[in-house]
C-alpha cells in the first residue's frame, strides 16, 4: 500500500489518525478480553472482532513513520 499521500498530510493530522487506530486496537482488545471472560460472543463474532483488530493494527503499522 502506498502511504505517500498520508505522509504528505500535516503531522497533526497524521497523529490524529494514528491515535485513532491505536484507540481502535486497544478498545477491540479490551472488548475481546471481556467477551472471552464472559463467553458473550459467538465464535463468528470473536473471529470478526479479531479480524477488525488485526486490520486496524496492520493499517497503523503501514502508516507509522519508517
Amino acid at each position: 500500500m502506498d502511504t505517500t499521500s498520508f505522509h504528505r498530510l500535516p503531522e497533526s493530522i497524521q497523529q490524529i489518525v494514528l491515535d485513532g487506530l491505536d484507540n481502535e486496537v486497544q478498545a477491540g482488545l479490551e472488548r475481546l478480553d471481556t467477551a472471552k471472560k464472559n463467553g458473550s460472543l459467538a465464535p463468528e463474532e470473536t473471529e470478526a472482532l479479531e479480524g477488525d483488530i488485526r486490520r486496524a493494527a496492520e493499517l497503523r503499522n503501514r502508516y507509522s513513520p519508517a
Side-chain angles (χ1 to χ4, degrees), residues 17-33 49-61:
V17 171
L18 294 175
D19 289 347
L21 289 168
D22 286 339
N23 291 338
E24 187 173 334
V25 169
Q26 186 60 39
L29 290 171
E30 290 171 5
R31 180 170 180 229
L32 184 61
D33 184 52
L49 184 54
E50 289 171 340
D52 291 345
I53 294 166
R54 187 173 38 259
R55 282 185 293 280
E58 288 170 356
L59 189 58
R60 168 55 166 103
N61 290 336

Side-chain angles (χ1 to χ4, degrees), residues 36-57:
K36 283 184 176 181
K37 288 179 184 174
N38 298 338
S40 60
L41 289 180
E44 300 83 24
E45 293 172 311
T46 300
E47 193 174 305
L49 184 54
E50 289 171 340
D52 291 345
I53 294 166
R54 187 173 38 259
R55 282 185 293 280

